[in-house]
Structure formats: structure tokens, C-alpha cells
Amino acid sequence: MAGVSASGGSGSGSLGRRFGWLWGAYTVSTFGTRLAFDAFPLIAVMVLDAGPARVAALAAAGLAVGALVAVPLGPWVEFRRKRPVMIATDLVRCVVLLSVPVAYAFGRLGFAHLLVVSVVVAAADITFRAAAGSCLKALVPREDLLAANGRLEATTWTATMLGPPVGGVMVQLAGPVVTVAVDAVSHLLSALGIRAIGGGEPRPRRADGAPRLRAGDLLEGWRYVLAAPGLRPLFLNSLLVNGLIMATAPPLAVLMLGDLGFAPWQYGLAFAVPCVGGLLGSRLARRLVARFGEHRVLVTGGVLRVCWPVWLAFVGPGTGGLVLVMVVEFGLITCMGVYGPVLATRRLELTPSDRVARTLSAWTVSGKLATAALTALWGLLAGLAGPRTAIAVAGVLMLATPLLLPRHDHASAKDPGAARSSAVARRWTRR
């Protein structure tokens, strides 16, 4: 086996000890978060006797307000050392999440408390993601970025597949508050993992020498994304596709659990099992790029992932309906598993190191706001026209989103070094 390079990569497929710690930190926090999936709505219903309107408000407000709070944090993170920021945001999430079981134990837990915690956690999550993208780009050589993103994508889908069912068992045995405590501990362990990465990290310097954050910096991430010909179509495509996929989740839940009479365990199974496709897709991504090139895989994956959701409008009762949902979700998630790491790699390739945090922050904030707005809009549509119609409209609109995908390979045009990633991937697939 070849030795690990100074930058953390190796020719044998190992990405080095420092990436290993980053990956481990990501893994434990992701599993903790997935274990606590839907914990706040469950607490609101089971502990606080909240109705549907308050539960919906909790989900939407936490997402939207947390995103707005995070707007100035992206530019602030850009000119700070990234690992201390990641550790700080992990510790913040740990503390605020632990406040929920503590307040519950003393009989002081209220709806406002849950709302504040959800906002803080959402803002900290966006800030962490912005810093983590910069950290990954610094730790991993450019030719290894796709492999690194593929491993993170596989971890996400594994946690998505296993976390909610295990969390559901924990809720059944010990109540929803315990999963929040587990999530809090996972962020503490994540902070320890990031601390173990070690090595020096230079303090970023502003190119213009300005001593502090300026008002104009708040919009710099959006200005860069919208001005970059390679990023702008991917950005707009992601906002629409991800927002529409998430917007159909509540109408689909109403259709399956209400109109069609599926049991909760069947509903959970219909979305847990297809996550195997995410593992498969993330494993295939590097091999597909090696054979067909990054740009072709990106565009093809972007097209294929939107061909599936429209079929959810035709789900019926019984075993046939359950199988249809699982097949559609498997196809969708497999395509997303391929597309996700390639998109993440292309985004880092096209973004200069001194703009990564601001770009990722703007991207994530926009995605959360778009998801919140589309979810609310599709809730109204489902109420007026029925859940099946809402799902069908979203599916048809998604079929038009490939028009936003880039037609040219801007990564290779901007930096000839980007073309080397396919050659490196080919060497790995032969081994």
C-alpha cells in the first residue's frame, strides 16, 4: 500500500488519518441526528399536546428563521479558522439540545423552548456545513474530492436508512426526549473527533486587507454563485428539485396514512428500505465518472433523478401501492446517491478557497428557505385540490428542471487540473 501523502490523500484509496477523523465526526453526528428524526414534532404532540398547526409552525419556523439567522455567519466563517468554528457549532448544538431533556425533567419544557432550540440548531447546522466544506477542501487533494464526497454521501444514506427505525424503537421504549439527548451527545463526540484531526490551520486573510466584516460581505456568496456560469444552473436546479421533493412529503404522508390506510410501520418501511439505493449510487459515482466523465454523469444523474417522483401520484392501497412507493423511492434515491457527491465535488472545484464558506452558506440558506416556502405552498395546494393532485403537479414541474442543468463543462474550462480527476478515478477502479 502506498504511503499517505502530506496532504492527506494516498494512491491506494485511503484518504489519510485526518480525513478519517473528519469522516468519523460526520458519521457520529449524522447518526445522532437521524436517530432524533422528527423528535421535536413528537415531543410537541406527545408531551405538549400541540395540534397540527403548531407542529407545522415549529417545523417551518425553525427551518426559515434558522436560515435567516445564519446569513451573516457564512461571511464571518470565511475569515476564521474552520475547525474551531466546527467545534464551536457542535458544542452549541450539544448544549441547546441537552436543554430539552433537562427542562423536561424539571417540568419546564414549553413550546417556545422547542422553537428557540430548533432555530439555534438550524443556524448552527448551516454554519457547520459552510466551515466543513472549506475544511474538506483543505484536507483532501483535489483528485480525491469525489472519493471523499462519495464516502460522506454513503454515510448520509446509511444513517437515513438505519437511524429513524432505531430512533422509533427508542421513542417507543423511553419516549421522544431520549433521542434528543442522544443527538446532543453525538455532537459532543463530533467535536472531539474534529479536535483530533490535529495539524496546523492558517488563519485566512482577506485579499483586500479589510479588518472586519462589511455589509457587502453578507451577499458575496449569492453574488458569486449567480455570476458563475458553472454554478448558477446547478444552484437553481437544486433549489427547485430539492424543494419540490420535500414539498411532496406531507401530501404523500396524508395520502398513504390517511386516504389509503397504510400503517405507520409500512410508511416507515417504504422510505427506509429504498435508502439502500443511496449507498449503491454513492459507490457507483466514482466508477461512472471514471468511465463517462464528471460533467456527463452530473447532467445524466440530474435528469434521471427527476423522472421518478411523478409516479407517486398513482400509488394505490395494499401491497401493490407499497411496492410502487418503494420502487419509485429506490430509483430516486439511487440517482440522488450518484448525483450528490458529483455535485458536491463540482461545487468545490468551481469555488475558490477564499469563497467556499460564503458560497456553501448561501447555497444552504437558499435551499432551506426554498424548501420551507414550497412546503407551505404545496400544503395549501393539497388542501384545495387533494394530496394526489399536489404530488402530480410537483412531479410534472420536476420534469422541466433539467433545462436548468449546465450544458458545458465549466470545471475543465476553468482549470485544466479538473480533467485529471477522471484519470485518477480510472486508476482507482482498476485496483
Side-chain angles (χ1 to χ4, degrees), residues 264-293:
W265 70 267
Q266 292 175 310
Y267 178 78
L269 187 69
F271 294 97
V273 173
C275 290
V276 174
L279 291 174
L280 177 63
S282 60
R283 296 283 293 178
L284 287 174
R286 182 161 51 87
R287 295 180 180 274
L288 291 173
V289 168
R291 182 169 182 177
F292 299 107

Side-chain angles (χ1 to χ4, degrees), residues 8 21 28 40 47 62 81 88 168 193 202 207 237 268 293-294 301 303 315 325 345:
W21 280 112
V28 71
F40 279 19
V47 178
R81 293 183 178 92
N237 178 272
E294 186 178 271
V303 172
V315 62
V325 173
T345 301

